Amino acid sequence: HRRSSSLKIFYNDVYEVPLPPNHRFPMAKYRQTRELLQQWITAADNKHSNTATNNSNLETSIVEFQVSPLATVAELETTHC
């Protein structure tokens, strides 16, 4: 049988915050980290798919990357106030 599971990975590197040059946490590094992870997962999935195409007992893991929703004011107040 074929079983699928889904892992959602949320990211927020699409939001830009202006930071001074040489800031300790430059925004681009978060995007670059996500892109590398996506490339690695895609390559691993492709390799797995190519070696197990005819296996009827194939178990697949699907990773879905989604932009994280913005927090509401109420959610922020529970954490940052």
Side-chain angles (χ1 to χ4, degrees):
H1 67 87
R2 184 180 180 100
R3 191 185 108 221
S4 294
S5 61
S6 181
L7 170 66
K8 292 183 182 178
I9 297 178
F10 292 91
Y11 62 93
N12 62 3
D13 58 38
V14 296
Y15 308 110
E16 291 291 328
V17 177
L19 298 172
N22 300 318
H23 189 275
R24 181 176 174 179
F25 297 108
M27 298 296 287
K29 88 172 168 183
Y30 299 106
R31 178 188 45 76
Q32 292 167 347
T33 300
R34 174 188 50 84
E35 289 172 348
L36 286 171
L37 181 60
Q38 283 179 295
Q39 290 171 9
W40 179 80
I41 289 171
T42 300
D45 283 347
N46 289 340
K47 182 178 178 181
H48 180 72
S49 294
N50 290 338
T51 59
T53 302
N54 296 322
N55 185 348
S56 61
N57 293 322
L58 178 65
E59 291 188 12
T60 60
S61 176
I62 300 168
V63 178
E64 182 180 349
F65 286 81
Q66 293 184 355
V67 175
S68 61
L70 293 175
T72 65
V73 171
E75 290 169 331
L76 292 173
E77 287 174 343
T78 64
T79 305
H80 298 288
C81 292

